[in-house]
Amino acid sequence: QEKTSDIRFLDRLNEPEAEDEYYNVRVKARYQPKALDGLRILLSYNHTFDSPSSSNVSGPDFFDRFFAADSLFTESREIDNNNYSADVSYELNEQLTFRSITGFLDADLKIDSVQGSDYFRDDTRLDQDLTQEFRLELKEGENKLSGVAGLFYGSFKGETDTFISFTGVTIQ
């Protein structure tokens, strides 16, 4: 989905910030083999891209949808997210199920200043998160008892690369 905001800009360098782009794709697949009765595998993939438009407006009439500031500190952002998950379960008997849930996130965020700005920012953030959960699920049966016991592990990694320059002074 792409659209252009209704905001008018005094500084033409801000005009690219009126563009908004977003899309999402999701795919799921389930597999239940007849040869292994009780096994169920659900695989999911989700991709999201978002490059939001700037919604800044100037007052005192905020409904006029006009941004009178210059491009000095205007930023643009783009994010790409990929999510993968696997939910695997196996019924050991009518009351007891073993389940493994695995998730992986791969995210890429980019922050930039508009072209020609005295304030220049080039910021990249990369995140990779891995989670794993193992569960033993007890359904209520003749014993009138139900519950869940499990273990969880998470590994969360983030990397940031930042370059900022303001009228020739560099901060890294």
Side-chain angles (χ1 to χ4, degrees):
Q1 168 185 344
E2 290 185 39
K3 67 176 184 166
T4 302
S5 75
D6 60 347
I7 299 172
R8 297 178 335 274
F9 296 97
L10 176 66
D11 187 339
R12 297 187 63 78
L13 291 173
N14 284 325
E15 287 180 0
E17 300 312 305
E19 300 298 318
D20 184 76
E21 185 178 358
Y22 174 85
Y23 62 86
N24 183 283
V25 176
R26 189 176 306 173
V27 177
K28 290 187 177 195
R30 188 169 95 179
Y31 178 61
Q32 288 182 272
K34 291 184 180 182
L36 284 170
D37 192 32
L39 178 65
R40 184 181 142 260
I41 301 170
L42 177 63
L43 302 174
S44 300
Y45 169 74
N46 180 46
H47 175 77
T48 303
F49 175 82
D50 192 13
S51 178
S53 63
S54 176
S55 57
N56 296 334
V57 292
S58 302
D61 183 3
F62 295 106
F63 295 102
D64 187 32
R65 310 296 293 154
F66 183 69
F67 186 56
D70 64 20
S71 63
L72 182 61
F73 293 108
T74 304
E75 296 177 340
S76 65
R77 293 172 180 253
E78 285 186 4
I79 189 160
D80 255 313
N81 280 333
N82 291 294
N83 294 292
Y84 307 86
S85 67
D87 183 343
V88 180
S89 63
Y90 183 69
E91 288 185 8
L92 302 170
N93 57 44
E94 288 186 22
Q95 277 83 37
L96 205 54
T97 301
F98 175 77
R99 182 178 309 274
S100 168
I101 302 171
T102 306
F104 181 72
L105 164 70
D106 184 22
D108 182 1
L109 172 65
K110 181 84 172 143
I111 304 171
D112 288 316
S113 340
V114 297
Q115 294 290 340
S117 173
D118 288 337
Y119 169 79
F120 178 77
R121 180 175 182 181
D122 183 15
D123 196 354
T124 303
R125 299 176 189 174
L126 305 173
D127 291 313
Q128 292 189 332
D129 301 343
L130 174 68
T131 59
Q132 177 64 58
E133 184 172 0
F134 294 110
R135 295 183 192 166
L136 200 51
E137 302 170 350
L138 178 63
K139 294 179 191 172
E140 185 176 321
E142 293 177 14
N143 60 7
K144 305 290 183 195
L145 187 65
S146 66
V148 176
L151 296 170
F152 175 84
Y153 169 79
S155 172
F156 308 97
K157 296 178 183 175
E159 182 180 310
T160 301
D161 184 19
T162 300
F163 178 85
I164 298 174
S165 174
F166 184 69
T167 60
V169 177
T170 301
I171 303 166
Q172 247 179 327

